[in-house]
Amino acid sequence: MLTVQVVLFDGFDLLDAIAPYEVFCAAAMYAEHALSVEFVTAEGPRSVTSGINGLKIEASGRLNPERTGIILVPGASGDVEGDGPNSPPAILSRALNTELVEMIEQALGQNDIIVATVCGGSLLLAMGGLLEGRPAVTHHLGMNVLGATGAIPVPARVVDSGNLVTSGGVTSGLDAALYLVERELGPRIAHAVEQLFEYERRGTVWREEGRAPSSHKAETDEETNNTGMIYDTSEIKLPGESEFDGDWDTTIATPVGKLEVKLSISIRNGLIQGQATQGDETVEFINPLLQDNKLTWSLRVTKPMRLNLKFEVTVRGDDMIGFARAGILPASKLTGKRVT
């Protein structure tokens, strides 16, 4: 029997979870109960509060990351504006601090389990570092953030990457579930469910197969891989190199807490080199650029979640101020002091 575990967490989006749940239940009816579906959590049976008016759903079991079948992770529903505690990023961050991501990582290591996501469920996995280098999709408002985690954003309704199937906005859960029914139980069962629901799956499911479309833009190594960037001193008015040189203790105030990061910056003969240390992890600046008294660079961080952050800072004496941003997430303020 094929089992489907629909994962719930506090603040989950109702339609993300309920729509696939109903599709799978209908498929079980047409497939003579060759499929079972249940709501689960990382903690076990409990009442789970959704992000829609606080409506509660009872989860009957604990997620089993070794059970053959499908694990489906919904997204979050909350305040679209701002970065308060009820915003989707904050809700996903709280789910990130449970055992859920570790369980999903274990499931992705199994050969007989498909992990599926709807909407912000992709971001939850991506922020946990599970989608780096993998094609995926999420809600259109989160595609830049998805790319910032190291995943490969694909603007499709549903993206099939083998044991990972992701889907876009809220209603795409219907499409993902119907596709999985067809993939696992066959097109006739999926067609019967479509007829029952009077809904036909939308869009082409993207898979990394067949002939690739031609592209007129090719990225160069300089655009993607530089850790030291040389700028043209004849065209850019440079401040004194000593303004940014040195070691800095900085604090980044993010919606999910403060990050303490040590920066080490060196500018010599037009070459900018920089390192950032957080805890026991040190990474190089990506594409650093000094222009108009501002130093900008990109950085891959792993704590409290995996993101590619873009930094922009200025310096006055021994004080550094600026911001860090990931995709469309609100910018996080950065402040720092030069270490003497």
Side-chain angles (χ1 to χ4, degrees), residues 33-48:
H33 304 288
L35 178 153
S36 67
V37 56
E38 67 173 330
F39 289 124
V40 299
T41 76
E43 300 80 21
R46 68 180 180 93
S47 179
V48 188

Side-chain angles (χ1 to χ4, degrees), residues 49-124:
T49 304
S50 76
I52 306 294
N53 288 337
L55 184 65
K56 297 186 177 185
I57 299 291
E58 291 293 327
S60 59
R62 186 173 189 264
L63 174 62
N64 183 346
E66 297 182 349
R67 182 182 297 167
T68 300
I70 298 169
I71 295 173
L72 185 136
V73 182
S77 178
D79 298 335
V80 178
E81 301 293 336
D83 58 354
N86 293 322
S87 66
I91 294 170
L92 293 175
S93 295
R94 288 195 290 273
L96 193 66
N97 290 326
T98 69
E99 296 181 69
L100 178 55
V101 170
E102 184 178 342
M103 290 176 162
I104 297 298
E105 182 176 20
Q106 185 179 348
L108 284 169
Q110 309 291 323
N111 294 325
D112 50 3
I113 295 178
I114 300 169
V115 173
T117 66
V118 181
C119 199
S122 307
L123 292 178
L124 176 57

Side-chain angles (χ1 to χ4, degrees), residues 5-288:
Q5 300 178 83
V6 179
V7 180
L8 303 182
F9 53 86
D10 291 318
F12 76 94
D13 185 275
L14 272 175
L15 193 58
D16 284 5
I18 296 295
Y21 179 86
E22 190 165 351
V23 168
F24 289 126
C25 286
M29 177 180 66
Y30 285 119
E32 297 181 349
H33 304 288
L35 178 153
S36 67
V37 56
E38 67 173 330
F39 289 124
V40 299
T41 76
E43 300 80 21
R46 68 180 180 93
S47 179
V48 188
T49 304
S50 76
I52 306 294
N53 288 337
L55 184 65
K56 297 186 177 185
I57 299 291
E58 291 293 327
S60 59
R62 186 173 189 264
L63 174 62
N64 183 346
E66 297 182 349
R67 182 182 297 167
T68 300
I70 298 169
I71 295 173
L72 185 136
V73 182
S77 178
D79 298 335
V80 178
E81 301 293 336
D83 58 354
N86 293 322
S87 66
I91 294 170
L92 293 175
S93 295
R94 288 195 290 273
L96 193 66
N97 290 326
T98 69
E99 296 181 69
L100 178 55
V101 170
E102 184 178 342
M103 290 176 162
I104 297 298
E105 182 176 20
Q106 185 179 348
L108 284 169
Q110 309 291 323
N111 294 325
D112 50 3
I113 295 178
I114 300 169
V115 173
T117 66
V118 181
C119 199
S122 307
L123 292 178
L124 176 57
L125 272 58
M127 291 189 301
L130 303 186
L131 301 191
E132 191 164 351
R134 300 200 67 168
V137 66
T138 187
H139 191 284
H140 69 275
L141 292 177
M143 289 292 276
N144 287 339
V145 181
L146 186 67
T149 67
I152 303 172
V154 179
R157 184 78 169 168
V158 177
V159 173
D160 183 341
S161 179
N163 67 338
L164 173 70
V165 175
T166 58
S167 57
V170 180
T171 58
S172 68
L174 286 166
D175 304 278
L178 283 166
Y179 171 69
L180 287 167
V181 168
E182 178 183 354
R183 176 173 152 172
E184 299 302 309
L185 299 178
R188 288 190 290 179
I189 299 295
H191 181 254
V193 177
E194 284 186 342
Q195 285 188 310
L196 177 65
F197 287 6
E198 295 191 1
Y199 176 85
E200 289 78 38
R201 219 170 65 215
R202 287 172 49 190
T204 299
V205 175
W206 186 94
R207 294 188 296 272
E208 202 166 12
E209 299 176 0
R211 182 173 177 173
S214 60
S215 174
H216 298 291
K217 180 181 178 182
E219 287 188 332
T220 65
D221 289 341
E222 287 75 18
E223 290 177 319
T224 57
N225 296 323
N226 283 343
T227 57
M229 175 69 76
I230 299 176
Y231 50 83
D232 185 351
T233 58
S234 66
E235 295 183 1
I236 300 174
K237 183 180 179 181
L238 299 178
E241 292 183 345
S242 62
E243 286 187 341
F244 290 93
D245 271 12
D247 296 326
W248 300 83
D249 285 337
T250 68
T251 300
I252 307 171
T254 76
V256 295
K258 292 184 177 181
L259 303 181
E260 304 295 333
V261 181
K262 293 184 180 294
L263 303 179
S264 180
I265 301 171
S266 173
I267 302 175
R268 294 290 182 273
N269 300 320
L271 178 66
I272 308 169
Q273 293 181 321
Q275 291 183 329
T277 301
Q278 183 188 6
D280 57 357
E281 183 179 23
T282 299
V283 294
E284 301 286 336
F285 286 9
I286 301 172
N287 294 341

